[in-house]
Amino acid sequence: MSKDKSAKIATPQAVRGTQDMLGDFADRFAHVVETFERVRRLYGYKRIEVPVIEPTAVFARSLGETTDVVSKEMYSFDDRGGESITLRPEFTAGIARAYITNGWQQYAPLKVATHGPLFRYERPQKGRYRQFHQLDAEVLGSDSPLADAELLVFADQLLKELGIAEGVTLTLNTLGDAASRDAWRAALVEHFMGHRADLSEDSLARLDKNPLRILDSKDPKDRRIADSAPDIDAFLTGEAQDFFGAVTAGLDAAGVAWERNARLVRGLDYYRHTAFEFVTDRLGAQGTVLGGGRYDGLIEALGGPPTAAVGWAAGIERLAMLVEEPVEYRPALVVVADDLSSENFAVQISSLFRRSGIAVEQIVAGSVKKRYQRARGFRADWIIKTDMPPSAPPGVVCARLAFGRDDQDTTLTAEALDAIIRQNFEVDLSDGLVPHATVLLTRKIGN
RNA sequence: GCGACCAUAGCUCAGUUGGUUAGAGCGCCGGUUUGUGGUACCGGAGGUCGCGGGUUCGAGCCCCGUUGGUCGCCCCA
């Protein structure tokens, strides 16, 4: 705290739309990632890592030049060699690129999972950031509808294990194959052209950019027109129909609840067949918590072999906001140095317990007066303090079990603590190690 | 890119129709008390009230601008 005001320098600020996480939310965030890592193994998805930066063309070509993401939301820059580089706005394109450049078709069908930061230049709001984070799962090289189903069962289990399945529903649609989609799109344009005088300004713009998007417009003006628009069902080829039927049959077989939403479309151009979103009304304007679909043409469009593929991504921040109970951090043991002469002994004891796999907070610095107060703040199972009691022989430092708890919440039981202590210390205790007892521990010589 | 709301101590906030030296809780530092399930009491440090201009005898409060934040539109996880 400088009192010299003229010496004040401008404090640096975080880049808009980025966030610093500490404590509660950071714990939730980590919990989401850990749960994902555990569940993806149950489904046999291999962990992969792909670059945060890619040549701009990877995204421009795969997402579609006219999409908002490409036309105005990408963080792109020229590197020192003059190549246009882009911070990834999504995972799928980069994974498709990796599949091609590494010849991963030799492993097809390949199930992969990853997670990490993504970047989009958007106006930040609740559940929406310029640097955000996603979980991602993809199946490359499988044209089986049961791949779609498995991916959705995986997603469903993830949400259930996170404890947020309540209030989150799986909505499902099919966009058909290329022929179905084109026919439907033409019919939609015709329908909307007939009502163009009544459409909102936004939807008029969508009409030539992305007519499918009018279907899920939030504008009340558009709703009646959108609701009366033709469903894709009438335009589905027999194959497309069969495919969608097989996906839903797979979901039913696995006991996953789903809802048909004929108005569900995907923003990015490369989707075909299955499209899905897990949606909630608990995140303000952001309803989608996990979304994805099938993108059979993408890898070929990037110059690779014809490859059927399907995948999804989920917003980690959005999931973390829905997670109810954060896992409270509590060390099993706190070691407090009660006086200056026993600080090194406290350090020694702490490392000894940590090497035995016990989580320890050591308090050996700061105001001696406040140490015990801070120690209790950790709500640990046990507190051991080191000191030099007046009764002890000169030069001998002792530790006392100053506080203990042993109930169903205890992570370190009295028996386990007792075993570790007896293994390492000469223990002077007549009644055994019990909560609230004060015992004298003397370090065993030679350890 | 567009719109609404907000900005006071490290944090969360109060601050009357504009009126003396701008307050509380938490946190931090010191003292006393208590050796043990987030002790109690006492004291202290810490603010050009986001920034710049204007109105006024007088602005934390009113007006304009600006920066930042939040939420919504667009779009998306």
Side-chain angles (χ1 to χ4, degrees):
Chain A
M1 292 295 131
S2 169
K3 285 184 179 174
D4 186 357
K5 283 153 192 164
S6 63
K8 245 183 195 171
I9 55 168
T11 46
Q13 257 167 334
V15 171
R16 166 174 290 200
T18 64
Q19 25 176 6
D20 306 308
M21 300 180 219
L22 171 70
D24 178 55
F25 193 74
D27 287 341
R28 293 165 183 244
F29 189 100
H31 175 63
V32 169
V33 173
E34 284 160 13
T35 305
F36 173 71
E37 278 295 302
R38 182 165 50 77
V39 176
R40 64 103 180 149
R41 283 192 184 89
L42 300 177
Y43 286 79
Y45 282 68
K46 288 184 166 51
R47 171 78 199 192
I48 57 164
E49 293 292 345
V50 290
V52 171
I53 52 175
E54 293 280 353
T56 298
V58 168
F59 304 113
R61 242 191 290 164
S62 61
L63 299 181
E65 299 279 359
T66 63
T67 57
D68 278 25
V69 172
V70 171
S71 63
K72 53 185 197 194
E73 294 176 2
M74 293 203 304
Y75 275 94
S76 300
F77 61 95
D78 289 345
D79 70 10
R80 287 166 190 271
E83 188 184 5
S84 180
I85 302 291
T86 294
L87 264 46
R88 64 185 177 199
E90 58 132 38
F91 273 117
T92 306
I95 292 173
R97 192 234 82 222
Y99 183 84
I100 296 167
T101 54
N102 298 300
W104 284 347
Q105 68 240 50
Q106 66 181 307
Y107 305 117
L110 178 63
K111 301 196 288 186
V112 296
T114 189
H115 60 83
L118 294 303
F119 304 84
R120 286 182 202 172
Y121 191 86
E122 293 184 281
R123 196 69 189 272
Q125 60 190 67
K126 187 185 179 76
R128 183 183 205 177
Y129 311 94
R130 289 188 174 177
Q131 177 181 334
F132 60 106
H133 301 80
Q134 285 184 346
L135 311 172
D136 186 274
E138 314 276 348
V139 181
L140 301 150
S142 171
D143 59 3
S144 165
L146 293 184
D148 306 41
E150 186 193 60
L151 209 45
L152 283 165
V153 179
F154 170 13
D156 181 73
Q157 181 168 349
L158 173 66
L159 299 182
K160 284 198 170 104
E161 301 219 358
L162 285 172
I164 60 178
E166 206 72 25
V168 178
T169 38
L170 165 57
T171 61
L172 192 63
N173 197 19
T174 176
L175 304 173
D177 47 30
S180 313
R181 183 172 157 143
D182 289 348
W184 182 40
R185 186 191 167 102
L188 282 176
V189 171
E190 198 188 323
H191 172 80
F192 290 130
M193 284 300 238
H195 295 86
R196 65 179 307 160
D198 299 322
L199 283 173
S200 69
E201 207 173 310
D202 284 332
S203 285
L204 280 177
R206 284 186 270 238
L207 192 47
D208 38 75
K209 241 176 77 182
N210 194 354
L212 271 55
R213 272 281 154 199
I214 301 176
L215 284 177
D216 56 5
S217 169
K218 286 177 195 165
D219 194 315
K221 268 178 81 177
D222 298 331
R223 274 321 328 157
R224 206 168 44 81
I225 305 169
D227 289 340
S228 63
D231 284 349
I232 191 172
D233 296 35
F235 305 92
L236 287 179
T237 60
E239 283 173 359
Q241 252 166 23
D242 292 346
F243 191 94
F244 190 54
V247 173
T248 57
L251 290 177
D252 293 340
V256 172
W258 58 277
E259 272 174 22
R260 175 75 194 274
N261 176 6
R263 265 38 191 159
L264 174 66
V265 294
R266 303 268 68 210
L268 306 178
D269 282 354
Y270 52 62
Y271 287 103
R272 295 288 180 275
H273 287 295
T274 323
F276 52 85
E277 287 181 3
F278 285 79
V279 295
T280 179
D281 56 5
R282 287 155 57 198
L283 285 179
Q286 270 59 244
T288 305
V289 118
L290 183 153
R294 182 162 277 279
Y295 51 96
D296 290 348
L298 173 62
I299 290 173
E300 197 174 0
L302 284 175
T307 306
V310 57
W312 55 248
I316 300 179
E317 287 89 349
R318 292 184 185 180
L319 293 171
M321 284 188 281
L322 293 175
V323 172
E324 294 287 348
E325 293 280 325
V327 264
E328 185 196 357
Y329 167 70
R330 230 178 50 191
L333 176 65
V334 177
V335 176
V336 188
D338 203 60
D339 53 39
L340 298 175
S341 57
S342 67
E343 283 173 357
N344 277 332
F345 189 44
V347 170
Q348 195 180 16
I349 291 180
S350 298
S351 48
L352 188 147
F353 276 99
R354 286 165 175 162
R355 284 170 190 145
S356 302
I358 307 299
V360 177
E361 258 333 303
Q362 66 176 26
I363 301 179
V364 295
S367 154
V368 174
K369 164 183 146 65
K370 289 268 173 87
R371 289 183 189 185
Y372 197 80
Q373 200 174 323
R374 279 200 285 140
R376 273 186 302 177
F378 283 110
R379 313 244 85 193
D381 298 329
W382 311 88
I383 295 176
I384 286 178
K385 73 175 182 181
T386 59
D387 62 359
M388 200 181 335
S391 57
V396 173
V397 186
C398 299
R400 298 163 185 270
L401 180 67
F403 164 82
R405 51 181 289 161
D406 194 15
D407 51 45
Q408 69 271 23
D409 291 334
T410 311
T411 54
L412 177 60
T413 64
E415 292 72 29
L417 183 67
D418 189 282
I420 295 171
I421 287 176
R422 285 175 192 281
Q423 196 183 328
N424 294 283
F425 300 95
E426 299 291 353
V427 184
D428 170 23
L429 74 173
S430 38
D431 304 328
L433 193 64
V434 294
H436 299 291
T438 295
V439 301
L440 199 65
L441 309 175
T442 309
R443 195 80 171 81
K444 270 185 183 168
I445 299 160
N447 275 356

